[in-house]
Amino acid sequence: MAALRRTLHLASLAAGVRRAVAGSLAGSCLAYRRLWDKLPAQPRQGSAGTFDWFFGYEEAQGLLLPLLQEAPAACPPRVLDVGCGTSSLCTGLYTKCPHPVGVLGVDFSPVAVAHMNSLLEGGQGQTPLCPGHPASRLHFMQANALNLQPVASSGSFHLVLDKGTWDAVAQAGLPGAYQLLSECLRVLSPGGTLIQFSDEDPDVRLPCLEQGSQGCTVCVQELGPFGGITYFAYLVQGSN
């Protein structure tokens, strides 16, 4: 039954993406970069200049902000968004979080990274983004989420976000998804939290996370429904 649910979930996710990038990419696997390179050219929805699968920062802030408040006051928390694409998670944290925070968004699509850097810096006649706290910082870098060594040292992030990235990587097979999980846990600071946002059923996702993150605490929270769909936040908390 779990295998059937995974198959149906991935088919539904792929159909949604392919509707957004119709044409020659209609048969593309979600794990392939050429599909995501196409997205910044698509019409935007939600916040200006960003495009969100599932939901955006506004829907997630109620979960994210309390976690950031738990960080030591003397050390502003660092947040990593793996597979950030052109989502509003990074920009929302940067512009609306009232506490100092350092945010890094990474994606393997140079097109998406260039788009977000342009949005941040006020390119093409736009107004540069203003931080919600003067000490907050936001950066975007091109990187493969399955190998974060070039951009992220071990234990360097208080919070790691994955909104749909596991879902996309798993299209090419679970070994890649487990490698993604391993990298996310490697860069997580002691006692830090990894959050995977997905619409995948807990009966499918939880066993994978428990298998791939032994020694960590794994739990799930429902989010929504948004647009009639219930989503899940899978929280993996490292040991201190």
Side-chain angles (χ1 to χ4, degrees):
M1 180 62 70
L4 175 59
R5 287 174 176 162
R6 172 174 292 279
T7 300
L8 293 174
H9 160 71
L10 291 176
S12 175
L13 180 66
V17 174
R18 288 164 186 159
R19 281 194 296 269
V21 286
S24 61
L25 297 178
S28 296
C29 172
L30 298 187
Y32 294 163
R33 197 185 81 184
R34 63 179 184 143
L35 179 69
W36 302 104
D37 283 347
K38 186 76 173 177
L39 289 180
Q42 302 302 313
R44 303 286 144 216
Q45 64 183 26
S47 299
T50 60
F51 183 92
D52 283 293
W53 299 115
F54 300 157
F55 50 82
Y57 171 76
E58 297 295 335
E59 291 79 10
Q61 63 179 331
L63 176 62
L64 300 180
L65 293 182
L67 289 173
L68 295 176
Q69 290 175 329
E70 294 174 3
C75 182
R78 298 186 70 206
V79 180
L80 175 67
D81 185 2
V82 293
C84 65
T86 56
S87 165
S88 64
L89 279 187
C90 289
T91 56
L93 279 171
Y94 176 65
T95 61
K96 298 180 180 180
C97 180
H99 316 289
V101 61
V103 184
L104 173 62
V106 299
D107 200 276
F108 68 171
S109 167
V111 179
V113 171
H115 176 86
M116 296 307 288
N117 275 321
S118 176
L119 181 65
L120 171 63
E121 297 163 4
Q124 299 180 351
Q126 301 181 67
T127 303
L129 299 182
C130 294
H133 189 283
S136 291
R137 298 291 182 266
L138 173 60
H139 301 280
F140 293 99
M141 300 179 67
Q142 184 184 359
N144 188 334
L146 276 63
N147 178 21
L148 295 169
Q149 291 278 0
V151 297
S153 57
S154 298
S156 56
F157 288 91
H158 175 78
L159 183 61
V160 178
L161 306 178
D162 167 348
K163 185 160 72 75
T165 304
W166 167 290
D167 304 84
V169 171
Q171 281 250 305
L174 281 178
Y178 280 119
Q179 177 61 26
L180 167 67
L181 175 61
S182 176
E183 276 294 272
C184 289
L185 295 177
R186 179 185 66 79
V187 305
L188 201 62
S189 64
T193 303
L194 162 67
I195 305 179
Q196 290 187 350
F197 296 107
S198 178
D199 61 350
E200 185 169 59
D201 193 287
D203 288 348
V204 177
R205 182 66 60 91
L206 283 176
C208 293
L209 294 179
E210 290 166 350
Q211 178 180 334
S213 56
Q214 295 182 15
C216 298
T217 301
V218 182
C219 62
V220 60
Q221 294 184 26
E222 282 193 8
L223 296 176
F226 306 129
I229 299 175
T230 297
Y231 295 93
F232 301 97
Y234 297 94
L235 287 78
V236 182
Q237 186 167 27
S239 57
N240 290 304

